[in-house]
Amino acid sequence: MKIMNCPLNGPRNISEFAYGGEVKPTPAPEAPSQDWADYVYYHANQPGILREWWLHVPTSYWFIAERDVTTDRIIATFKPEEVLR
Amino acid sequence: MPLALIKHALGLSRPKRQLPAQKELRSNYDVVIVGGGGHGLAAAYYLAKDWGVTNVAVLEKSWLGGGNTARNTAIVRSNYITPEGVRFYKESMGLFETLSQDLDFNVMYTKRGHLTLAHTDAAMRTMRWRAEVNKHMGVQSELVDDQDVARIEPALNMSRDVRWPILGALHHPVGATARHDAVAWGYAQRAAEMGVEIHQGTEVTGFELSGGKIVSVQTTRGKVGCGKVLQAVAGMSSKVAGMAGVTLPIRTIPLQACVSQPLKPFLDTIIVSGSLHCYIWQSQRGECVMGGAVDPYPLQAPRSTLDFKEGLMAHMLELIPGLADAPLMRQWAGLADMTPDFSPVMGKTSLENHYIDAGWGTWGFKATPVCGKRMAECVATEKVPDILSAFRFDRFKTFDQVGEAGAASVGS
Ligand SMILES: Cc1cc2nc3c(=O)[nH]c(=O)nc-3n(C[C@H](O)[C@H](O)[C@H](O)COP(=O)(O)OP(=O)(O)OC[C@H]3O[C@@H](n4cnc5c(N)ncnc54)[C@H](O)[C@@H]3O)c2cc1C
């Protein structure tokens, strides 16, 4: 069983979580649709350590994880407010 | 029957699987193909055969056909859901039909019939939709009810006393399998005979750009100049495109499969259930080849997990309870490059001489011949063939998706 540490609920089985994509700056609501297309569809998707959105499904809690996407090692998890300001 | 087999049977010649000895890399090639999987090798073959372009190097970091080409579950079909997808895969099946003869190399193309099961009214509706699109495009495909399913594949458990009873299916009588390794070997051998150089153990590590073009390719064996570059690296697409500064609409996610011990032949058709996330067919050796959906989150390295087996078997045993006693022999994984609309990405990128063959997700083996042929045409003529235009790499920028999720989500 693979364990992920949810910043709200503590360590839980990875099957309780859903992946939500790479963390990247959100375009302004009125930004051109090209920017929104880039944001929604295009991904760095590179080997190495990435910051990603994850959801703890039972509690609907979104947070950020730093994961090595080559080894599947979860390095750290953060409350979004710790990272985004 | 392939001529080589007859000759072999008569003792006239031995079947060959050797390539010419690997040479030093030359300083320049008209076309450098990155990736020696089925796709790269097929493109090399058609470049030489259809367009007379033979100053071509295929650069493969490990050994040819050793990537996803060696790991897939070998299913070939054309019952997709969008007209663009159906047309594309129909052409591929046409090429598969005569591939053994064309390559004089037995790829063991075997028609088995293909059933995509429906367990809900919503799934029945999708199957009806697919059947209509398929028929419109001239592909054999029929919505059948539960009694027909029982007749077509007696091995299935048709009991209503299960979590998800079988209500009906999309029946695709021409659904087939082919020997995946042989497809790569056949293309490699014929391409090499026409002068294409295949360099195994040669990893591409970077590109040198100048004026919106790739001027040279850096490899673990030195630098080579290039007229054009075609990348066909499946699960490594984002990494390799990234070296050229190109970002793709792709996420790399592992896809797993497994085989049982050989059993007596009991299963004729290829069985897929999108709702239950599993599929199965029985090989000539009697092994049950089984797989499911991609892993729940992206990862850039293949690995096998217990979750996959547990999830797969829970449903598989409902479909075929007798499998409960069958030991598994092997389990493995490959890397699927998933696009948001479950359709591939083919054609030119934003660079002038960079061509891409990517986004093959869980379903790209069946496209090997058509993709190789049409990408070769695209590279040779510098024009995007009609059949590829819907799959252009920047289609998401203009929100022109080719939504295949309904037909490609499981069952390769
Ligand atoms: C478990 C599983 C089951 C599947 N089942 C089916 C199926 O039943 N039907 C179907 O149609 N499809 C199926 N697929 C999908 C199919 O396997 C792939 O879409 C297809 O093999 C892609 O072919 P390719 O030639 O593009 O890639 P590959 O065969 O992966 O070839 C790419 C090559 O590029 C090389 N490479 C990568 N990076 C570099 C570099 N930097 N330099 C040089 N070389 C590099 C790799 O070593 C590799 O050999 C399945 C996939 C998996 C994993």
Side-chain angles (χ1 to χ4, degrees), chain B residues 34-39 59-62 67-69 71-75 202-204 232-234 236 240 255-257 279 332 334 360-366 412:
Chain B
V34 189
H39 282 228
L59 309 182
E60 164 56 50
K61 72 173 174 188
S62 43
N68 293 286
T69 296
R71 294 155 205 257
N72 68 64
T73 43
I75 299 169
T202 310
E203 180 170 358
V204 170
V233 293
M236 289 292 124
V240 172
L255 179 67
Q256 308 192 40
Y279 64 92
W332 68 92
W360 286 107
T362 66
W363 57 83
F365 169 64
K366 64 179 70 65
S412 47

Side-chain angles (χ1 to χ4, degrees), chain B residues 75-80 89 93 114 130 172 366 407-408 411-412:
Chain B
I75 299 169
V76 176
R77 62 183 175 91
S78 57
N79 56 356
Y80 278 71
Y89 290 105
M93 285 188 81
H114 186 283
R130 278 171 70 179
H172 183 44
K366 64 179 70 65
S412 47

Side-chain angles (χ1 to χ4, degrees), chain B residues 312-328:
Chain B
L312 178 69
M313 292 313 160
H315 291 308
M316 194 65 84
L317 296 186
E318 204 170 276
L319 295 178
I320 306 177
L323 278 179
D325 297 326
L328 279 190

Side-chain angles (χ1 to χ4, degrees), chain A residues 2 14-15 19-22 33-34 36-38 40-47 52 54 67-72, chain B residues 235-236 238-239 242 247-252 296-301 303 307 340 393-399 401:
Chain A
K2 193 171 179 68
I14 192 87
S15 65
Y19 174 78
E22 292 166 14
S33 57
Q34 283 275 310
W36 276 99
D38 275 347
V40 175
Y41 298 122
Y42 291 80
H43 319 287
N45 194 40
Q46 294 292 322
E52 307 169 323
W54 283 81
R67 187 169 66 100
D68 186 332
V69 299
T70 319
T71 60
D72 200 16
Chain B
M236 289 292 124
S238 298
K239 183 177 173 193
T247 308
L248 298 176
I250 283 177
R251 282 180 178 144
T252 300
Y297 57 87
L299 190 64
Q300 303 261 342
R303 50 91 177 87
D307 300 22
F393 110 111
D394 62 352
R395 66 178 177 273
F396 299 95
K397 303 235 189 232
T398 48
F399 302 93
Q401 283 91 330

